[in-house]
Amino acid sequence: QDMASDFLSKHDVVIAFEERIFDAVVEDLQRREPTENFAPIHVICLDTKDNPDEAQRQGRVALELCWLLEAAGDLVAEGPGIIDAFQTERMTHTSIKVLYQLCYL
């Protein structure tokens, strides 16, 4: 909320580890005036219990997801499919659903 929209629009992906933070980020992005570039920002939530073991596990999961997203040729077109496949294939150890929202800024 303290950052300028032009600075935020330089980021492709935002990952939150709590649903309330995810909701706050999405709400903040939706309230802002669009930038000249009107760039997409992929907001993802990997809701994580607040303990060291879960944080370490979800940190590795987040890194794997980032590698998949980075390898995408067109993140806007491929992002939702990558997230869905990731949820199905990688998130079998938990009942936590990956939350995803594509915002433009």
Side-chain angles (χ1 to χ4, degrees), residues 1-104:
Q1 294 170 347
D2 296 350
M3 297 179 184
S5 294
D6 287 333
F7 175 77
L8 289 175
S9 68
K10 295 178 183 175
H11 295 81
D12 296 324
V13 177
V14 174
I15 296 180
F17 291 92
E18 276 188 53
E19 187 172 349
R20 69 179 181 85
I21 301 300
F22 170 83
D23 292 339
V25 169
V26 169
E27 183 179 332
D28 179 66
L29 291 172
Q30 290 175 340
R31 287 185 176 181
R32 291 176 181 259
E33 290 295 319
T35 61
E36 288 183 23
N37 297 335
F38 200 63
I41 300 176
H42 304 264
V43 185
I44 300 166
C45 181
L46 301 172
D47 200 25
T48 304
K49 292 181 184 173
D50 192 11
N51 67 57
D53 292 333
E54 192 67 20
Q56 184 178 17
R57 181 179 304 120
Q58 289 296 78
R60 280 191 228 117
V61 168
L63 183 58
E64 290 176 26
L65 178 57
C66 287
W67 286 333
L68 292 171
L69 294 170
E70 186 176 38
D74 180 354
L75 196 52
V76 172
E78 297 174 41
I82 291 170
I83 299 295
D84 287 343
F86 187 80
Q87 173 75 39
T88 303
E89 297 166 12
R90 181 62 177 94
M91 299 299 286
T92 57
H93 68 282
T94 181
S95 61
I96 296 169
K97 181 162 178 55
V98 177
L99 302 176
Y100 172 76
Q101 179 71 45
L102 179 59
C103 298
Y104 284 85

